[in-house]
Amino acid sequence: MRHLIPSWIRVPVAFFIIFGAVEYFIDSGDKPAFVEYPVVLLFLFLVLLILIAIEAIVGALENVMLHKLDKEAKARFLAEKEKTIKFTWLKNTYIKLLGQKPIEEEHDIILDHNYDGIKELDNNLPPWWLYGFYASIIFGAIYLIRYHIFDGENQFDELETELADARIAIEAYKKTAKNLVDVNTVTLLTEAGDLASGKTIFETNCVACHMADGGGGIGPNLTDEYWILGGDIKSVFKTVSEGGRSGKGMIAWKQQLKPLEMAQVASYVLTFQGTTPANPKAAEGNIWVDKISEESTTESVETVIDSTITN
């Protein structure tokens, strides 16, 4: 069987089988094993050298053995070796791609030029080169028509598309990544886990000024409808983040608390609305009216009035 397959096929096949086994059994993540672990590269190099050495040694032993055989045995051995796969189709294809004339026919293409006995053959361009040149012309024509005449999508357009998709993906991620919230994107948190975390933060940092029930002490009452800096989630978040009124308000907590923690405690603070504390502090600030609700109510009233006038 060994004589049926030439060594230039046996060695690469054996090497790639070993290479595939190494890549399969060694976990190297996204990178190839020989890149992640240089020792693997050294191992594969040694394997290749060993395979080549084995072929060389076996070939040398065959030659030694061949010299020791008698004529009949040598003839049988050589006949067996002749069965080696020739791959004549590959050889013929290679010759056709070169486009050269056989040596026997070179006298037909010898030029008259003679340089110190050196003669020149008038060979045609190799077909592989010629067909490649034609293919490049066709490709260039298609490229010219596609991108310069019909203004096809180019790399800049693809970049803009990818950037637009990336912006959309970032915005979608921000909506689900609570710790990336800011005063513009914060929303009222209603999940029990968020409110429980907000309560813990409030009891750790805020009860000294606002009392555990939100009735107020040094800080204002959080249970009534009066607010100094606004009573919606965005306003409360901003107050927690940036601090209260300059010189007499609470400190800014943005250095001590993460954005998610500020959103949680701001949402918890709003749960005090409508509750009755044990010792409520006198109201401070102004009655807070939700501007969005107020605008919606105004629009509804205007719609009713317009409808009435029309009718």
Side-chain angles (χ1 to χ4, degrees), residues 2-278:
R2 182 177 178 279
H3 293 304
L4 295 178
I5 303 175
S7 60
W8 61 270
I9 293 180
R10 290 195 301 268
V11 171
V13 169
F15 175 78
F16 282 110
I17 289 175
I18 297 172
F19 177 82
V22 169
E23 288 293 335
Y24 179 80
F25 288 107
I26 297 179
D27 184 11
S28 57
D30 296 333
K31 295 181 179 180
F34 68 89
V35 174
E36 186 70 16
Y37 306 109
V39 66
V40 174
L41 181 61
L42 178 61
F43 169 76
L44 292 173
F45 179 71
L46 291 176
V47 166
L48 182 60
L49 290 180
I50 291 171
L51 291 174
I52 294 174
I54 290 173
E55 286 295 330
I57 293 172
V58 171
L61 291 176
E62 284 183 352
N63 290 331
V64 172
M65 182 187 68
L66 189 61
H67 286 295
K68 293 182 179 180
L69 295 176
D70 55 29
K71 290 184 178 181
E72 185 177 348
K74 185 183 295 185
R76 287 198 303 269
F77 179 83
L78 293 175
E80 185 69 21
K81 199 168 184 179
E82 280 296 319
K83 296 179 182 178
T84 303
I85 299 173
K86 296 297 184 182
F87 288 94
T88 54
W89 62 270
L90 183 60
K91 182 178 180 181
N92 293 335
T93 303
Y94 174 73
I95 293 174
K96 288 180 180 179
L97 287 176
L98 288 180
Q100 295 178 346
K101 284 185 175 293
I103 296 177
E104 297 81 9
E105 300 178 13
E106 283 188 352
H107 61 275
D108 296 332
I109 57 173
I110 293 179
L111 296 176
D112 294 334
H113 304 154
N114 191 324
Y115 304 95
D116 295 331
I118 299 174
K119 296 182 179 181
E120 184 180 357
L121 296 178
D122 188 18
N123 278 314
N124 294 325
L125 288 171
W128 65 267
W129 190 96
L130 198 59
Y131 295 147
F133 179 64
Y134 292 153
S136 65
I137 293 175
I138 295 172
F139 174 81
I142 295 174
Y143 187 93
L144 175 67
I145 295 171
R146 177 72 175 86
Y147 294 102
H148 293 278
I149 296 179
F150 293 106
D151 294 326
E153 188 178 67
N154 55 36
Q155 292 177 333
F156 294 103
D157 297 326
E158 292 176 2
L159 176 62
E160 289 300 326
T161 301
E162 291 178 1
L163 289 176
D165 293 340
R167 293 188 193 100
I168 294 172
I170 290 172
E171 292 303 321
Y173 174 72
K174 285 182 177 179
K175 291 179 181 179
T176 57
K178 295 179 179 179
N179 214 27
L180 293 179
V181 297
D182 57 24
V183 69
N184 298 311
T185 60
V186 65
T187 56
L188 183 66
L189 303 178
T190 57
E191 295 182 5
D194 289 322
L195 294 178
S197 298
K199 180 180 179 181
T200 301
I201 297 169
F202 183 86
E203 291 176 348
T204 303
N205 302 289
C206 310
V207 294
C209 296
H210 296 284
M211 301 301 170
D213 57 7
I218 298 174
N221 185 351
L222 301 176
T223 65
D224 58 30
E225 56 186 353
Y226 289 84
W227 292 86
I228 299 172
L229 298 174
D232 63 333
I233 184 62
K234 293 184 183 298
S235 299
V236 177
F237 181 92
K238 182 178 180 181
T239 303
V240 174
S241 173
E242 305 299 329
R245 294 165 294 175
S246 178
K248 53 183 178 180
M250 73 175 187
I251 64 170
W253 288 94
K254 61 184 178 182
Q255 300 298 329
Q256 289 88 351
L257 300 177
K258 297 178 181 178
L260 174 58
E261 293 174 331
M262 292 189 291
Q264 289 171 335
V265 73
S267 298
Y268 177 73
V269 164
L270 291 177
T271 64
F272 287 125
Q273 287 292 287
T275 62
T276 303

